[in-house]
Amino acid sequence: MPSYVILGAAGGIGSALCERLAASGAQLVLGGRDAQQLEPLALATGGHPFTLDATVPAQVEACTQAAVERYGRLDGIANCVGSLLLKPAHLTSDDEWAATIGLTLAAAASYGARGIRVNCVAPGLVRTPLTARVTGNDAALKASVAMHALGRIGEPGEVAAALAWLLDPAQGWVTGQVLGVDGGLGSVRARGMA
């Protein structure tokens, strides 16, 4: 039975991923900042809650160690900790810069020889509690929908399905990839967009 650490487990995409993995029989360590949000998810998935701040490397390391101690193995980690940054580059602080893709590629190159795969999922706008200020505003939602080639925003389960696919050991030949699960947002122009 595989075991996974899910960081940001109680978020919209994280909880959908936990539910999907648990349904397939996986053992989970659920990492997140809010113990009260982790508890119901732990009950629903049989996962072990672990309160942490994912921006503190020592706490993430303790979480992964807890998974190994609890389950005797660790088959994968999914980082579902996210943010929604809606401002131009010149107003973005050094701390806010998202270097996820560069880190993914560097880690995949560095650790591939050890059999460690590193991939990234790049979602478009997904309906989650984090995006509620956009999806809950009719004008902002309409503008966002118009930017996606498929004419809608995503649902957490759609991104979770891609994450689960990447975590599956059957995908042992997939590393260093950035998988856009974004309704075409990052690669094609929506019909009617200039």
Side-chain angles (χ1 to χ4, degrees):
M1 193 176 314
S3 71
Y4 302 106
V5 167
I6 310 300
L7 302 175
I13 294 170
S15 60
L17 176 60
C18 291
E19 290 165 3
R20 177 177 281 272
L21 293 173
S24 72
Q27 300 171 317
L28 305 174
V29 172
L30 314 171
R33 286 185 179 188
D34 188 336
Q36 290 182 338
Q37 289 183 346
L38 291 174
E39 286 300 327
L41 184 62
L43 288 173
T45 62
H48 174 70
F50 193 100
T51 305
L52 60 74
D53 179 342
T55 65
V56 179
Q59 292 181 22
V60 174
E61 186 174 335
C63 183
T64 59
Q65 187 59 39
V68 172
E69 290 171 4
R70 184 172 195 84
Y71 302 123
R73 62 188 287 167
L74 179 58
D75 296 288
I77 301 171
N79 181 3
C80 298
V81 176
S83 63
L84 181 63
L85 188 64
L86 300 173
K87 57 181 163 179
H90 72 280
L91 295 177
T92 303
S93 72
D94 290 346
D95 289 340
E96 293 170 327
W97 272 103
T100 304
I101 292 173
L103 182 60
T104 296
L105 299 177
S110 297
Y111 304 113
R114 297 183 190 178
I116 298 172
R117 299 181 305 113
V118 183
N119 295 290
C120 177
V121 170
L125 183 63
V126 177
R127 191 181 315 277
T128 68
L130 179 67
T131 64
R133 68 183 174 140
V134 175
T135 60
N137 176 301
D138 289 340
L141 178 61
K142 184 176 179 181
S144 295
V145 164
M147 294 187 315
H148 292 77
L150 291 180
R152 66 178 178 85
I153 63 171
E155 297 297 331
E158 294 172 311
V159 180
L163 289 165
W165 183 82
L166 285 170
L167 284 169
D168 186 336
Q171 310 316 325
W173 191 236
V174 180
T175 195
Q177 301 302 306
V178 178
L179 179 60
V181 183
D182 63 3
L185 179 67
S187 57
V188 295
R189 187 167 285 181
R191 201 172 36 193
M193 293 291 289

